[in-house]
Amino acid sequence: MSKSISCFGAVLGLGLALCSVAAPAAEAQAAFPNKRVTIVVPYSAGGITDTLARTLAAKLATLWGQPVVVENRDGAGTIIGTSAVARTPADGYTLLFTSYAYTSNPVLRRQLPYGPDAFRPVGLMGSSHNVLLVTNRLRGQSLQSLIDRAKADPGALKLASSGPGSSPHLAAELFATKAGIRFTHVPYKGQGPSMTDLMAGVVDGMFDGMSSYSLVQAGKVAAVAIASEQRHPGAPEIPTFRELGMDFVSGSWFGMLAPAATPDAVVQQINADMRRVVDNPAVRAQIAKTGMLVSLSTPEAFGQFLQAETNKLQALVKSGVRIELN
């Protein structure tokens, strides 16, 4: 009897020991995610960055079996939302889905509330080229006639943007430099509010991605030219600036980042699941409606892309192009 109890005690002891070893290991290998994930978009609701983030969030929630919430924290040229994510725990549960201003802000602003190494790349989702859009009262105006009007009355041309340092803002500054004109920059907190005022005729024009093409088709705004190497397959009637005599290419990108110390395994999983989402034909069709060209990259390739974008902007500033942020 005592021998049986002794054997049972040994087995029980071994079992408890194994459990005590297995418990921490199970915690360490717990599947990500096991709770809600928040994707912060540093732009207002309604723009292409927000739309893409929400498309991605809905599908990731299905894959993960956990809520994936998009939180718009716009303002200060994306600095408010970006700095908020920089302060969160680096565990993958708070992510940043952002765009062009992420690379332009460190080059164009003297100080930022987060350091240059505050984030690590997760994945580039795609890119979009800028289109010069004008209000309907300027419908029918050629590119040259707009330039002539701006030269005749310097500063009278009012071009909106989704915020200081955004891709539309820099596109307008580059356009003005190449055209030899002056314009008045009217910044907004996101693409949605700026487009509303463009349709209302409050501003004369703005640069925006192909996400606004449906408004062109609906006759709410007019497209003058697209700043790409060749015409967009979804809008072949819009000429490129190069066709109209101006060597001008400009666009934006959209991608996911995480706080710098986020574990490699978590970053790689999020990237792989982003790929699973965009590889879905139905999702690709939905994204195509925004005019964005899908090109999901690895975290490493995205990092190289971001560095190249930074280098290009730094070279532009060094060349003498002056860009003032409000």
Side-chain angles (χ1 to χ4, degrees):
M1 183 65 143
S2 60
K3 185 180 291 188
S4 298
I5 292 175
S6 175
C7 289
F8 175 75
V11 172
L12 179 59
L14 177 61
L16 290 174
L18 289 174
C19 287
S20 66
V21 170
E27 286 182 16
Q29 298 174 10
F32 171 88
N34 55 23
K35 61 181 180 179
R36 186 181 83 169
V37 174
T38 298
I39 298 176
V40 173
V41 174
Y43 296 92
S44 61
I48 182 173
T49 313
D50 176 65
T51 298
L52 292 171
R54 292 181 185 277
T55 299
L56 188 60
K59 298 301 180 181
L60 288 176
T62 300
L63 278 178
W64 291 341
Q66 297 290 344
V68 181
V69 179
V70 173
E71 182 180 319
N72 296 95
R73 300 196 66 173
D74 59 309
T78 74
I79 293 174
I80 291 176
T82 303
S83 58
V85 178
R87 296 191 298 267
T88 62
D91 54 11
Y93 287 95
T94 303
L95 303 166
L96 178 71
F97 191 84
T98 189
S99 186
Y100 191 84
Y102 177 80
T103 44
S104 66
N105 277 334
V107 177
L108 303 178
R109 297 179 185 273
R110 294 181 180 179
Q111 290 185 327
L112 290 173
Y114 51 89
D117 300 320
F119 293 91
R120 63 178 301 175
V122 176
L124 173 69
M125 191 169 175
S127 59
S128 176
H129 284 94
N130 285 313
V131 181
L132 175 56
L133 304 172
V134 294
T135 187
N136 274 332
R137 58 183 166 77
L138 296 178
R139 180 178 291 276
Q141 293 279 322
S142 68
L143 177 63
Q144 190 57 52
S145 65
L146 288 172
I147 292 173
D148 291 343
R149 284 165 56 99
K151 286 183 176 179
D153 190 1
L157 181 66
K158 293 188 293 185
L159 297 181
S161 81
S162 53
S166 64
S167 175
H169 176 203
L170 295 183
E173 297 285 358
L174 288 170
F175 165 68
T177 298
K178 289 184 174 291
I181 63 172
R182 285 173 46 206
F183 73 98
T184 298
H185 176 219
V186 185
Y188 288 81
K189 291 183 178 181
Q191 187 258 11
S194 59
M195 184 57 66
T196 296
D197 273 8
L198 177 62
M199 290 189 290
V202 176
V203 293
D204 299 312
M206 69 177 286
F207 281 88
D208 198 22
M210 282 295 294
S211 59
S212 297
Y213 183 58
S214 60
L215 299 176
V216 175
Q217 291 177 304
K220 295 182 178 181
V221 294
V224 178
I226 184 169
S228 58
E229 294 85 354
Q230 55 191 11
R231 296 196 182 199
H232 193 286
E237 77 282 6
I238 302 177
T240 67
F241 279 89
R242 285 180 173 175
E243 291 177 64
L244 301 178
M246 182 182 292
D247 186 14
F248 177 44
V249 175
S250 172
S252 189
W253 55 266
F254 308 91
M256 190 87 82
L257 296 106
T262 303
D264 289 341
V266 172
V267 168
Q268 294 295 339
Q269 182 184 332
I270 297 171
N271 178 274
D273 290 338
M274 286 175 64
R275 187 176 299 279
R276 289 177 64 188
V277 169
V278 300
D279 280 347
N280 184 310
V283 174
R284 280 189 175 258
Q286 187 176 353
I287 292 175
K289 294 178 182 178
T290 70
M292 187 189 83
L293 302 176
V294 176
S295 56
L296 189 69
S297 71
T298 63
E300 295 75 20
F302 187 23
Q304 294 169 2
F305 171 85
L306 292 175
Q307 186 59 58
E309 287 292 297
T310 299
N311 293 344
K312 284 193 294 185
L313 189 52
Q314 287 174 334
L316 178 66
V317 172
K318 289 179 181 178
S319 72
V321 175
R322 185 178 179 183
I323 302 172
E324 296 181 355
L325 300 186
N326 294 19

